[in-house]
Amino acid sequence: GRCRLLCKPSALAQHLVGSLGRSAALQGGRWPWPCWPQLQMLRQLLQLPEPEPVVARELLQLPDSGLVALDWLVGPRGARGGGGSPSPVLLLIPNAAGKVTGGLLQLGLRALERGFVPVIFNRRGHNGCPLTTPRLQPFGDPGDLREAVTYLCCRYPAAPLLAVSEGSGSGLLLAYLGESGSSSRLAAAACLSPVFRGRDWFEAGMPWLYEWPLLLHLKRGLSRYAGSLAEAVDVDRLLGSRSLRELEEALFCRTKSHPTSWEAYWERNEPLRDADEAAVPVLCLCSADDPVRGPPARSLPLELFRSSPYFFLLLTPRGGHCGFPRRGPGRCWGHEAVLEYFRAMAEFLRAEERRKGLPRPR
């Protein structure tokens, strides 16, 4: 349709242009209210997948005795994917508030139908994951994600590992890719409506329709651990926060043991601080009318996509925030585009191995 792929010219880029151009997902039908991104955003936050998937939770203990949760999608109403375990493992990363939206679950179900092993990464204290230490994960600190990736690679040593993030959760994935470089262990990654500039995003604020539900969602989860957090932060200030920025400052800047400035915090947590080191193909699916990320002119790092051979921007004029709606089954064409991208990536890598006569990595 009217999507544009912005990237540095390469053989991989040429292959993606052909594959995505032939994809039925990008020819998708119209939605009844294409000009209401706020409504698309509300629909994306509130809608549950049909049918709702069954999830098996696994807790992973970290070196400092903290816990993260891995939720394995095992199919609707207990049904499992046929033919044993599928080969590619797909790691799903929710937004920074830990809100597992219906859209993310729907993407997991679509992936399950296509032979992936989908698993959701839940940060410390998010989505019912117990908080065993008075420490949460900063916006762009990939340490816990690295432990989860290492575990998945040990559990599925011969399987390709892919990752996809939603909204502000992309800050974590982008930081991980930059900090890990060629040691990321991922074959490919994708970001749905990513937030590229964390500090600017927090300072600009968001539509109340999006910010207040996420703020209440975070406060409700943190209030369960008010007693243990009291030794590290000012809980009254934390629970009295009136914006996501105030809450972020209370959690990570105004701490009792190691207080820091807002500027120093973002020097360590900006998603793109090490973007030049990334060595994994990343598709970023963005909409020009995204009311959460902000106007494209100030929120999209266009020069990064023009200069890096690993970053690909699929830009659509309408789609809202993580919405990309269409009528009929599979109502988010963005999910189909991401799964088509992973298919095209695997096809390209197999062709390169045959062309160069390289042995498949073990």
Side-chain angles (χ1 to χ4, degrees):
R2 293 189 298 163
C3 294
R4 293 187 298 137
L5 188 68
L6 179 63
C7 57
K8 184 177 181 179
S10 66
L12 174 57
Q14 209 168 18
H15 180 75
L16 288 179
V17 168
S19 296
L20 293 173
R22 292 189 300 270
S23 171
L26 299 188
Q27 316 299 327
R30 297 181 179 274
W31 199 51
W33 304 287
C35 298
W36 291 2
Q38 303 280 7
L39 182 59
Q40 296 176 23
M41 179 176 61
L42 187 62
R43 172 180 176 269
Q44 186 267 342
L45 276 175
L46 299 180
Q47 186 178 26
L48 293 176
E50 300 172 2
E52 193 169 349
V54 175
V55 172
R57 170 156 290 191
E58 186 174 15
L59 295 175
L60 179 65
Q61 189 170 38
L62 304 168
D64 67 347
S65 298
L67 294 175
V68 295
L70 297 175
D71 288 342
W72 300 88
L73 273 63
V74 294
R77 299 189 182 93
R80 293 182 178 271
S85 295
S87 65
V89 177
L90 181 60
L91 183 60
L92 302 163
I93 301 174
N95 60 41
K99 174 70 174 173
V100 179
T101 63
L104 192 70
L105 290 173
Q106 194 66 53
L107 173 57
L109 282 177
R110 300 292 289 175
L112 189 65
E113 292 170 2
R114 297 195 181 189
F116 293 80
V117 180
V119 56
I120 300 172
F121 171 78
N122 298 287
R123 310 183 197 205
R124 306 171 185 229
H126 283 187
N127 195 26
C129 178
L131 186 65
T132 56
T133 63
R135 175 183 178 272
L136 286 107
Q137 188 172 12
F139 187 84
D141 178 2
D144 292 353
L145 180 61
R146 185 180 301 108
E147 294 291 334
V149 167
T150 301
Y151 169 73
L152 293 174
C153 289
C154 291
R155 179 165 175 172
Y156 292 94
L161 180 59
L162 310 166
V164 59
S165 55
E166 189 179 64
S168 54
S170 300
L172 182 60
L173 179 56
L174 292 169
Y176 171 75
L177 293 172
E179 194 171 291
S180 301
S182 59
S183 304
S184 71
R185 301 188 177 189
L186 296 179
C191 301
L192 285 166
S193 300
V195 171
F196 294 102
R197 298 184 171 103
R199 180 178 177 179
D200 291 349
W201 182 68
F202 274 96
E203 291 178 353
M206 288 176 294
W208 66 267
L209 195 63
Y210 189 80
E211 182 161 14
W212 275 96
L214 289 185
L215 187 61
L216 292 174
H217 174 78
L218 274 169
K219 286 184 181 181
R220 186 174 61 178
L222 291 170
S223 64
R224 298 173 54 196
Y225 306 110
S228 58
L229 286 172
E231 62 184 84
V233 301
D234 183 340
V235 173
D236 290 338
R237 178 190 290 270
L238 179 69
L239 299 181
S241 302
R242 291 177 295 177
S243 68
L244 288 175
R245 173 181 173 167
E246 287 183 18
L247 187 136
E248 193 81 3
E249 282 191 281
L251 269 178
F252 302 112
C253 298
R254 302 178 184 274
T255 59
K256 294 180 179 179
S257 55
H258 298 96
T260 187
S261 68
W262 183 244
E263 293 74 17
Y265 174 74
W266 285 111
E267 284 178 10
R268 298 189 301 271
N269 286 283
E270 273 294 353
L272 297 180
R273 61 188 183 275
D274 296 314
D276 291 344
E277 302 297 322
V280 170
V282 188
L283 178 71
C284 298
L285 180 52
C286 298
S287 172
D289 68 347
D290 187 335
V292 172
R293 189 198 63 243
R298 67 170 174 81
S299 62
L300 293 180
L302 299 181
E303 188 54 39
L304 174 66
F305 295 101
R306 294 190 182 104
S307 60
S308 172
Y310 294 105
F311 283 88
F312 302 87
L313 174 63
L314 186 59
L315 184 62
T316 175
R318 303 196 188 279
H321 183 71
C322 300
F324 310 107
R326 67 177 181 185
R327 287 192 180 99
R331 283 171 287 185
C332 175
W333 64 259
H335 297 164
E336 302 302 319
V338 165
L339 294 176
E340 172 61 24
Y341 158 72
F342 286 139
R343 188 204 64 77
M345 277 298 312
E347 182 182 76
F348 178 82
L349 292 176
R350 285 195 298 268
E352 285 295 289
E353 288 166 5
R354 288 194 298 269
R355 186 177 67 84
K356 297 179 179 179
L358 298 174
R360 290 189 63 82
R362 297 184 59 184

